[in-house]
Amino acid sequence: MSSIILIKFFDLAFKLNMMQKLSSGLEIHEVMPINIKITLFFRYFNVILYPFCFAVATGLLFNT
């Protein structure tokens, strides 16, 4: 469960940092100079990752 909270914290912190820089007048290519091609796998990876982490954290998987 803590891994989900940690991942979400870093996700929100990154997005807030980007939005703050964009609202201060910087262009998107100045904030993130790397043009990363995001595939469908990476775009929807959280759909797989978050439920899996939740299931492991709550004991729904790997009951020992």
Side-chain angles (χ1 to χ4, degrees):
M1 192 64 122
S2 61
S3 64
I4 294 173
I5 294 170
L6 187 66
I7 290 169
K8 202 59 176 167
F9 172 77
F10 283 122
D11 180 46
L12 289 173
F14 177 73
K15 288 177 182 176
L16 286 173
N17 187 20
M18 293 259 313
M19 295 304 279
Q20 182 182 21
K21 288 179 181 179
L22 290 174
S23 67
S24 69
L26 290 174
E27 296 291 326
I28 188 71
H29 60 83
E30 294 173 359
V31 175
M32 184 181 265
I34 300 171
N35 187 11
I36 299 173
K37 300 292 182 191
I38 298 177
T39 63
L40 285 176
F41 174 74
F42 285 119
R43 182 173 293 172
Y44 296 108
F45 185 63
N46 63 344
V47 173
I48 297 166
L49 182 67
Y50 289 138
F52 178 75
C53 288
F54 178 76
V56 170
T58 58
L60 296 174
L61 298 176
F62 310 119
N63 288 331
T64 57

